[in-house]
Structures are given as structure tokens and as C-alpha cells.
Amino acid sequence: KILVTGACGQLGTELVMALRERYGWERVIATDVYDANDKLMQKGAYMKLDVLNVRRLSYVFERMGVGQIYHLAAVLSASGEQNPEAAWQINMQGLLNVLEAARAQRVEKIFWPSSIAVFGPESMRAACVQQSALDPTTIYGISKMAGEYWCRWYYNTYGIDIRSIRYPGLISYSAKPGGGTTDYAVDIFHKALEEGHYGCFLRDTTTLPMLYMPDAVRGTIELMEAPRGQLSVHTSYNLAGLHFSPRELATEIRKHIPGLTVSYHPDFRQAIADSWPTGILDLEARRDWGWEPQFDLETMVTDMLAHLKNDVHQIDVPVE
Ligand code: VAH
């Protein structure tokens, strides 16, 4: 069985659907802290599971015969700055609980998402390489940096096969993000279609690394299916897709929705965005497991609008 924590989140929703498609819906157990999720329950098991409940984690891993875990449960950067204690508990203690329960139950493979949020003011600004200094300024980024080293410690100490990707901002049409600094890049599409205007919480010139969800999901599964011996990175792989500023994204969307107007009102998330690199280099992912993004700004915008215009059922991700 493959168990996914944080299955109701922006990445979780899409990964569960892709994993069920690829491995069979009966093999994938979606879990999250919420009582239920009708979309995820349509085609497969959904269980309420709080990663802070250690006893329940071990019980579920053992009873359900869990062989692989995608541990996605986390509080994102913006929410984490507003609830630092909760972010640390869920992101850090949650990861440690999962790692220890997985070790005890001999789970064979674990995926855990890190983020470009591990980089900061002392890291490389553009073309930030795998080996760049980490310098997280958010509780979220600190928990992801510490998590990377915990994952490597479990790999070195117990030989557990843990694999990880430092995701850029994820852009998706199936599930809205919750509490991220890069969420503007999803919100703008909905507002452009619904109202023709978007009030952006970042400055128009704020360039950030981004990744379109179909690329993110494919890359994650490619990493998880790569031969273990090929993998040289045991903290977390840099992964780059595309990068753009709110102004560039708005200009591209206007090719489809000419009347779109955008106003800019930077808030507390501007300082978080300013601490992150404007671009990422992912040579190790390309070398070790053949990573190659397939979407650029033009094709991503076209695909996003095509799906949203078809009014693909939106799941509102419950935000803490
Ligand atoms: C966030 N979407 O904004 C997440 C991600 C790099 C950004 O970690 O917190």
C-alpha cells in the first residue's frame, strides 16, 4: 500500500490522483487531519490521520501494510509565520513521527517535500545551485532545512530509502494552495476568470521559481521510481521548472483574457518572497534521474486556463 499524508493539500490532491492512476486506486490510501474529502474518497480509501498522533501512525502503517509513504502534511510559509508553534510541531515533529514509525514498521520508501524556502539572503540569488548555502528566514523554511538533514540522518543511520525534492512554487488547477507565498500565481487565474481583476500581494517585479503541477507530479514519481543506486543527493534535490514575476504572468494571461487588470499591494509575504532565489539550477536531478521540465510560461498559462475554463471541479483546500 502507498500512504499519503496531507492528501487534501495542493500537492497531495494531485499526487493521490496520479498515484491511483499509475498503481491502481486500491493501493493508495489518502490521509489528512480532516474527517473526509469527497473528491479523494470517490476512487479509493481516505482515512483521518494526524501525523502528531504517534500511536495511530504506527497502528495504521502496520494494519494497512504500508510499503511506501508520501509524507506531505505541512504548514506552508505564510501560514507558518502566523502560527510558528503549530508550523514547527506539524512540520518537524510530524516528520520525526513519520520517520520513526516508518523505521519501526520497515516501510521501504518515503517521499518528503522540501522547498526553495530553505534558501535565504545568504544563498545564491539567481541560478541557485544544489550546494548553495541554506539560509531560511521562515519557520517553514527552517523546518524544511532541519527536515532535510533528519532525512539524510535516517538514510545514513538506518539505510531507509528517503527521497526528497525542493519544490518551487507549485501552480495547479485541481486544488487551490493554502497559506503559501507563491499562491498569488494560482489565485490570479481564478480572479482573472471570475472578476477580470486581481489584487496581488507581491510586488510586480518579484521573480520566483515556479513549477507547473503536471511537471511536479511527474518529476516526483520519476524520482521515486529511479534506481536507488543512481541517487547522489540524500538531503533534497533542487528542481527547476520556470520562473517569472507577477507582471510577466499577468502579461501572459492577458494574451487569453485581454481585459485583465492587476493592482499590487505587497504585504508581509513580500519579505518572504524577497528572501528566496529568483532562479534555481537542478543539474543533479537532471544527471541522477533524468529530470526535464515540459512546461514553460506560455504552455502553462494555456493549459491552466483550458482546465479552469472547463470549470474543472475546484477543491478548496482547508487552510488552518
Ligand atoms: C509556499 N508554495 O509558498 C509554498 C512553497 C516555495 C513555495 O514552499 O510556502
Side-chain angles (χ1 to χ4, degrees):
K1 295 281 190 191
I2 299 170
L3 184 135
V4 180
T5 69
C8 294
Q10 181 192 18
L11 174 60
T13 303
E14 305 257 4
L15 256 182
V16 165
M17 291 192 279
L19 293 170
R20 284 177 170 163
E21 193 69 32
R22 188 171 184 80
Y23 302 118
W25 57 272
E26 68 290 345
R27 271 197 64 195
V28 182
I29 307 164
T31 73
D32 210 314
V33 286
Y34 311 105
D35 289 333
N37 179 295
D38 54 2
K39 175 150 188 179
L40 289 176
M41 292 166 84
Q42 270 165 11
K43 285 197 62 171
Y46 175 88
M47 294 173 75
K48 178 177 173 125
L49 182 60
D50 180 342
V51 294
L52 296 180
N53 185 332
V54 183
R55 272 197 338 281
R56 180 130 173 91
L57 273 181
S58 296
Y59 173 79
V60 168
F61 289 1
E62 186 190 6
R63 285 297 302 271
M64 307 302 283
V66 174
Q68 283 189 36
I69 299 169
Y70 286 74
H71 174 45
L72 310 181
V75 175
L76 296 187
S77 59
S79 298
E81 291 307 285
Q82 294 167 325
N83 312 284
E85 290 76 12
W88 184 254
Q89 270 305 310
I90 291 166
N91 295 7
M92 200 74 263
Q93 195 54 53
L95 172 62
L96 297 182
N97 293 347
V98 167
L99 290 175
E100 190 46 30
R103 183 193 64 77
Q105 301 298 332
R106 289 179 179 46
V107 170
E108 76 193 52
K109 205 183 289 189
I110 302 173
F111 177 78
W112 175 74
S114 182
S115 162
I116 60 167
V118 297
F119 297 117
E122 292 304 308
S123 309
M124 293 172 70
R125 294 299 300 147
C128 180
V129 297
Q130 178 74 44
Q131 299 76 11
S132 167
L134 305 186
D135 186 26
T137 58
T138 60
I139 296 299
Y140 169 77
I142 294 167
S143 73
K144 289 300 185 184
M145 177 176 77
E148 289 189 9
Y149 290 116
W150 270 109
C151 287
R152 187 175 66 178
W153 187 85
Y154 265 79
Y155 173 82
N156 290 332
T157 308
Y158 300 118
I160 297 189
D161 187 355
I162 304 174
R163 306 181 186 195
S164 179
I165 287 173
R166 289 169 180 162
Y167 287 117
L170 296 179
I171 299 170
S172 61
Y173 48 80
S174 287
K176 290 186 178 178
T181 301
T182 58
D183 296 359
Y184 89 87
V186 177
D187 299 344
I188 189 171
F189 284 96
H190 295 276
K191 290 293 188 301
L193 286 168
E194 290 154 11
E195 301 169 24
H197 175 77
Y198 180 57
C200 183
F201 56 73
L202 294 182
R203 237 191 327 273
D204 62 337
T205 55
T206 307
T207 298
L208 286 172
M210 299 282 186
L211 187 60
Y212 191 34
M213 188 60 80
D215 271 343
V217 167
R218 174 180 54 81
T220 304
I221 292 173
E222 284 170 359
L223 169 59
M224 288 297 272
E225 293 187 346
R228 180 172 174 157
Q230 278 176 215
L231 305 181
S232 64
V233 172
H234 297 291
T235 47
S236 185
Y237 277 95
N238 275 16
L239 204 72
L242 59 168
H243 55 269
F244 52 75
S245 67
R247 176 172 298 283
E248 289 165 331
L249 178 56
T251 301
E252 192 61 33
I253 294 175
R254 265 191 215 100
K255 292 181 184 172
H256 304 261
I257 306 176
L260 171 64
T261 57
V262 181
S263 55
Y264 299 93
H265 322 272
D267 67 12
F268 76 99
R269 288 167 284 194
Q270 185 63 46
I272 298 173
D274 287 341
S275 73
W276 292 347
T278 57
I280 297 287
L281 273 193
D282 54 7
L283 304 182
E284 288 74 9
R286 292 167 183 264
R287 180 198 65 205
D288 289 0
W289 43 281
W291 162 248
E292 183 75 42
Q294 286 166 6
F295 284 88
D296 61 16
L297 181 56
E298 184 183 358
T299 51
M300 179 272 285
V301 168
T302 303
D303 195 68
M304 272 290 278
L305 289 172
H307 280 90
L308 292 177
K309 279 177 179 168
N310 294 342
D311 196 22
V312 169
H313 172 61
Q314 294 306 314
I315 312 167
D316 281 315
V317 173
V319 177
E320 303 303 322

